[in-house]
Amino acid sequence: MRIGELARRAGTSTRTLRYYESRGLLPARRGPNGYRTYDETDLRLLEQIRTLRDFGFDLEETRPFVECLRAGHPAGDSCPASLAVYRRKLDELDRLVADLLSVRAQVRAQLADAERARDALAADALAPDGPEPRCELGGRQP
């Protein structure tokens, strides 16, 4: 099949396919007429790349999976190098989740502090001779 058909079947653009070719992920075969030619194996490689990219893998991280398929294995993740990429990606995701949980705890603490301060101001405003309520955003008072 030609590049346009492969792009259509893979749900991508010909520009993307040429980029993958330039990065060595997609083989560059030419027919007698000089046109790029592809087969079902190439479609399978693209499906593997796309699946991994959808999961957040960068293009270079897809290389061991593509090489595994090109070597004739039934799945792109059946080779040791692919499994190593999975492990690295899981470690990266675990670090990101830990960072997000830390930020979440900090935001939760800030919110609790802000709510306590707001409640204290409201209680003071209701007390006789308490401070006059005012808007801290600079808006007009009702």
Side-chain angles (χ1 to χ4, degrees):
M1 80 184 87
R2 291 185 33 197
I3 193 168
E5 182 182 349
L6 180 62
R8 182 186 54 74
R9 290 183 62 193
T12 191
S13 67
T14 57
R15 182 178 180 181
T16 297
L17 298 183
R18 287 190 298 271
Y19 178 68
Y20 290 170
E21 180 184 315
S22 74
R23 299 293 304 267
L25 292 170
L26 193 62
R29 294 183 305 273
R30 301 273 180 168
N33 57 5
Y35 292 135
R36 291 174 174 87
T37 61
Y38 301 96
D39 58 25
E40 295 300 317
T41 303
D42 299 317
L43 180 60
R44 193 158 170 236
L45 295 176
L46 289 171
E47 289 167 346
Q48 178 75 78
I49 292 169
R50 187 163 195 179
T51 298
L52 293 168
R53 300 281 290 152
D54 287 348
F55 290 158
F57 287 67
D58 66 36
L59 192 57
E60 196 55 38
E61 288 172 322
T62 69
R63 187 174 300 280
F65 298 85
V66 169
E67 290 172 354
C68 190
L69 284 172
R70 286 168 105 178
H73 294 274
D77 58 5
S78 59
C79 295
S82 303
L83 298 176
V85 172
Y86 274 153
R87 286 186 196 97
R88 281 193 305 271
K89 183 55 84 174
L90 281 173
D91 288 344
E92 176 186 332
L93 291 170
D94 288 342
R95 283 190 305 275
L96 290 171
V97 167
D99 290 347
L100 285 172
L101 288 172
S102 174
V103 169
R104 179 179 181 218
Q106 291 171 19
V107 169
R108 180 174 280 143
Q110 285 295 116
L111 174 61
D113 289 347
E115 288 176 335
R116 279 192 297 276
R118 181 208 57 206
D119 293 345
L121 284 173
D124 287 346
L126 294 176
D129 299 324
E132 179 75 23
R134 65 182 180 89
C135 179
E136 294 182 19
L137 298 176
R140 296 178 65 155
Q141 291 293 323

